[in-house]
Amino acid sequence: MLYKASSIESCNVRASDDELGKVKDLYFDSEKWTVRYLVIDTMKWLPGLRVLLSPVSFDTVDLSNDQISVLASKQQIKDGPSVDEHRPVSRKKEMDLHAYYGWHPYWIGNGLWGTADMPIAYQPNEVTREVMEKNESIDDGDPYLRSVNELKGHVTGYTVKAIDEDVGNVIDFVIDDQSWAIHYLIIDTGDWLPGKKIALLPELIDSIDWNKKELTINLKSDEVEKESIEDESILNLDEVTAETLRKRSLVK
């Protein structure tokens, strides 16, 4: 099923033996528009550090009851590679996490999740060696991940710019809880289409300016309107499957 990112952020997260905390954020890569980690707020348990958990480690996802369970124990998570709360997550740090937990590196292979289109664990003898070899050539300076909360903001997020005018601001995302792909960005159209919200495919995004907080679409505003899904589908999202939304989209 599809869910809004905002509904995932309300979930409690439980390790195999104890409660961990709540979902604080979601990190995605803007190349394949897929959520790679949930950021867990561990309250006072691990102050100053972020706990990042890949969908690979999820045991059950029950968003109707605001609950996500993971296969790792609380002690295993505590002993894992630390992620500083105030620094971007580098690819080297991702490699440390994947090697520690046994997650398949999603950046190796042609699928959405490396060699598959769903989150998978790896066979250590084969993939660990490849990861370690690539580790030496990775530049540790640039972040590879982006925050869902950054793009959608607390009230209103990044500006969406068509060729001829601004068409609104990002306020949420539509995410598949199986592949964790981002299917749609939800846009509040503001003064352009007052009172409207639309859903746009990420494939329509031509470029992102992270400094200006702008997403650019290589279409005119009237074309954007034709290529979007209007608010009724979004408001009734719990009743709509990914296949239904895709059929209603004009993008092929």
Side-chain angles (χ1 to χ4, degrees):
M1 286 294 293
L2 299 177
Y3 296 90
K4 295 179 184 178
S6 53
S7 67
I8 298 173
E9 290 167 15
S10 64
C11 285
N12 297 301
V13 182
R14 181 176 177 81
S16 60
D17 55 353
D18 202 357
E19 295 291 336
L20 285 179
K22 287 183 174 291
V23 178
K24 182 179 182 179
D25 201 351
L26 296 85
Y27 284 171
F28 74 99
D29 77 82
S30 57
E31 179 181 357
K32 292 188 176 179
W33 287 91
T34 302
V35 172
R36 300 303 181 184
Y37 307 98
L38 298 190
V39 184
I40 313 304
D41 182 0
T42 57
M43 312 299 180
K44 297 180 180 179
W45 176 49
L46 293 175
L49 296 178
R50 285 173 290 181
V51 170
L52 269 58
L53 293 176
S54 166
V56 175
S57 66
F58 297 168
D59 185 17
T60 59
V61 179
D62 183 3
L63 298 185
S64 61
N65 291 310
D66 296 332
Q67 184 75 37
I68 296 175
S69 300
V70 298
L71 296 170
S73 69
K74 193 171 182 179
Q75 188 64 46
Q76 183 182 5
I77 293 169
K78 184 177 181 180
D79 294 341
S82 61
V83 181
D84 191 287
E85 188 172 9
H86 302 293
R87 298 187 63 184
V89 180
S90 67
R91 179 55 54 81
K92 183 180 183 302
K93 180 59 66 176
E94 286 192 89
M95 288 180 173
D96 292 341
L97 287 167
H98 282 248
Y100 177 78
Y101 286 108
W103 301 334
H104 188 98
Y106 63 83
W107 56 89
I108 297 177
N110 297 321
L112 195 63
W113 285 90
T115 57
D117 289 325
M118 296 290 177
I120 58 170
Y122 65 61
Q123 297 298 320
N125 291 339
E126 179 181 354
V127 181
T128 301
R129 182 170 58 254
E130 187 174 4
V131 170
M132 295 305 176
E133 290 173 355
K134 288 180 176 288
N135 191 33
E136 297 180 0
S137 63
I138 291 295
D139 181 1
D140 199 28
D142 296 326
Y144 285 81
L145 302 170
R146 294 292 172 177
S147 159
V148 162
N149 282 346
E150 177 187 350
L151 260 73
K152 70 184 183 64
H154 293 293
V155 179
T156 184
Y158 277 34
T159 301
V160 181
K161 302 178 72 68
I163 293 174
D164 51 345
E165 63 178 320
D166 295 353
V167 297
N169 296 86
V170 179
I171 59 170
D172 216 333
F173 295 81
V174 177
I175 297 170
D176 177 351
D177 69 341
Q178 295 296 312
S179 68
W180 292 88
I182 296 174
H183 287 256
Y184 293 92
L185 289 76
I186 301 179
I187 312 300
D188 185 334
T189 58
D191 294 334
W192 174 53
L193 295 174
K196 288 280 189 179
K197 294 182 179 66
I198 59 174
L200 293 177
L201 290 167
E203 294 94 305
L204 291 174
I205 304 299
D206 190 49
S207 64
I208 304 176
D209 189 320
W210 302 105
N211 293 320
K212 293 182 179 180
K213 298 186 176 182
E214 294 177 347
L215 285 71
T216 300
I217 299 175
N218 193 25
L219 296 171
K220 292 184 178 180
S221 56
D222 60 341
E223 295 174 312
V224 173
E225 186 176 5
K226 292 177 182 177
E227 300 283 11
S228 67
I229 297 172
E230 294 188 2
D231 57 345
E232 182 179 355
S233 299
I234 299 168
L235 295 176
N236 296 322
L237 188 57
D238 290 343
E239 303 172 11
V240 180
T241 64
E243 290 75 17
T244 302
L245 275 177
R246 288 288 178 182
K247 287 177 182 178
R248 295 179 64 171
S249 173
L250 298 177
V251 178
K252 305 298 183 184

